[in-house]
Amino acid sequence: MTRLRKRYMITGTIILLICIFLFFLSSLVKNWLVKNSESLIGRRLDIGELHFNYATVSVQVDNLVFYEKNGTDRFFSFRKLFVDFSPWKLVGREFSLSEIRLEQPYIQIIQNGDQFNFDSLIREQDSVVAEGSGADGELLKFSFYNIKLEGGELVYTDEQINSRLDFSDLNIELPLVAWNNRHSDVGAAFTIGEHGQVELNAVTDSQESSFRVDVKTTDVPVRPVTGYLKEYVDVELADGFLTSEIHISGDMNNLFNLFIAGQGKITGFMLKDGRSQEILSAKEVRAHIAGIDLQKFHFGFSGIEIDNPRLLVVRDKDMTNIERLFLPYFRNDSITEAAAVSASGETETTYAIDTLRVNKGEVSITDNTLNRPFNYAVDDLDLTMYGLTESAEQIPVTFLARLNNRGTLEGKTVLSITEPMNIEFEGRLRQLDLVSFSPYSEYYIASPVTQGWLNYDLLLKMTPKSLVNENKIRVEELEFGKRTKDTTALVKAPVRLALYIMKDINDLIRIDMPVSGNPSDPQFKLGKLIWKTFGNLMVKTAASPFNALAGLAGANPESIEQLDFDLAQDSLSPEQKSKLALLATILKKKSELVVEMTQHTDINAEKLKLTVKIAEEDFLVGRQPGMIISSPEATFEAFVRQQVPEFDSLGMERACQKFIAVSRVDSRFITLLEKRDQQIHDFLITGQGLPEQSVRVSTADLRNLPEQLRVPHYKIEVLLK
């Protein structure tokens, strides 16, 4: 009996000691882990509480903090970890956990180039070998049920690009993660940000070495990717919310053998550049992914649609904001690198967008390179493009837009990727308000536009070796204001004068301007060619204004370009008055024009003629009463012969010079010139009722005239007031 009692006491004592040991085991383990953490893993570790529940075979860890190498900053922590084992499943060679619950976990990941803050935790040449079966060839299995992560926080900092991503309130629920060496199913749902929801479902098949992941997101914030964009664009903030349903399938043995399909949208998208300007935004962007094959580098979309996009374009003196946005991209020599990859024989990128559609877009344009800012808006922009691929020979595009809330622009074009010089374009611009472009007219021709509407039909057909361009321009009721003091007006073509002259009786300017050329010519530039043609037209119109003005008076242009006189003529003939009346008709219809009439003549020829005329007058005044005049000419000639015996050798004009004083001729010549000027002035101002400021009559510097101008006439020119 004593032996039996002693046996029970020993057994009881052992059991008691085991119970006491097990009771204190959690504290012993906790203290040992905390004390030896730095020698074991090289990091300081704190544990609030550690509990083993032997009845339920579970472990609970409270308030664990795992520090950075400096022993002060947190690397990883959580408020509570609960793990519930299912030991009976070990009999079937399955490792199973019935519940894993992690509350308020926190982890901070810091990257600097290739270095991470957890690199010291990874042993060199460490490896984990996973066998497909046990020693006896049976399958190894595991299953984890009811995995929950509540209130998690992940902070990722990339010091190289100065980017910080903070994912707070992370919640994950995995009903089951199971593995039987052949097949695995994983499901997850968690929250990102205040409203973002993510659902994951993954299936793997080890025998087929394949996997499939279905990702569904709802209102996931885009803002965290801002830091990664900074490597390529000068961006301060990218914002918006992603909603998507994506299906990913691939090969576990080749991570690049990945195929992606599905659809997604970004709502409330907004991009701010480095100057805090909202450079791009959109109410919604939708994409339908037909297939993205990373192994073949093919990106296929059945459709991309953008609602209410807004683009800000600002032109400064150094560059545009679009160029500035992509400076980091070009600074990194990305184009050179891409070209090197292509040349090395790597897989080339292919793409396909079946339909690209823009709905109700807006482009805001600001030009700060003028003497005052130019601001313009292209809104209600609808654009549709079909069949965009890297090898497309024909890409049809249609577009329609409203210009600054007034004019409209519509058209269609056909582009080519394989041959960019193959272009067909047909566009129609209606009722473009030219007043909006006054900053340009002030800058280039020192005159503001106070009224005018432009209609423009453009047709362009271009190949690498030929270009046919038709430009039909109609300008209605164009008016310019008074000249400004802009010193930048260096355009040589008299645009303002030419456009005013080109107005017809209905205040309409019509310009049909065909342009042709050879695009293969190294000097060929379409814009420059059109502007040169337009400039030549302006110069030609201003140089020969009556070709355009004559129609207002129903006259022959050549008949009113100059007013001819006979030598010594001192009064206006009926024909001359008729020409001046036609000129007055034009000026009445073109009230902004000034007619400038400049007298030219041959001084010597005029004086010779005047000498004879004075001699004739003297003869008539001094003739004897009762003298019989059978022939006035013969009598006058006889009179001159009496005065100049050497008449036959000199001729009439030279003979008259012998007895008519030079001073009388000079005085008469000056009077003649003044009388002509005055008669023309009086006829136009008094007789035709033109304003004084509309007529300028003067005599040229006759002493220095070229030979071809030494005939009596008035050169008629027009200019703007």
Side-chain angles (χ1 to χ4, degrees), residues 74-88:
R74 278 190 305 166
F75 167 64
F76 173 71
S77 67
F78 56 77
R79 191 181 74 84
K80 180 185 290 186
L81 171 63
F82 177 78
V83 181
D84 190 3
F85 291 90
S86 300
W88 57 89

Side-chain angles (χ1 to χ4, degrees), residues 351-369:
Y351 56 88
I353 302 176
D354 294 342
T355 305
L356 174 63
R357 186 170 281 116
V358 174
N359 302 317
K360 302 301 178 184
E362 179 180 341
V363 180
S364 297
I365 303 169
T366 297
D367 191 342
N368 294 320
T369 65

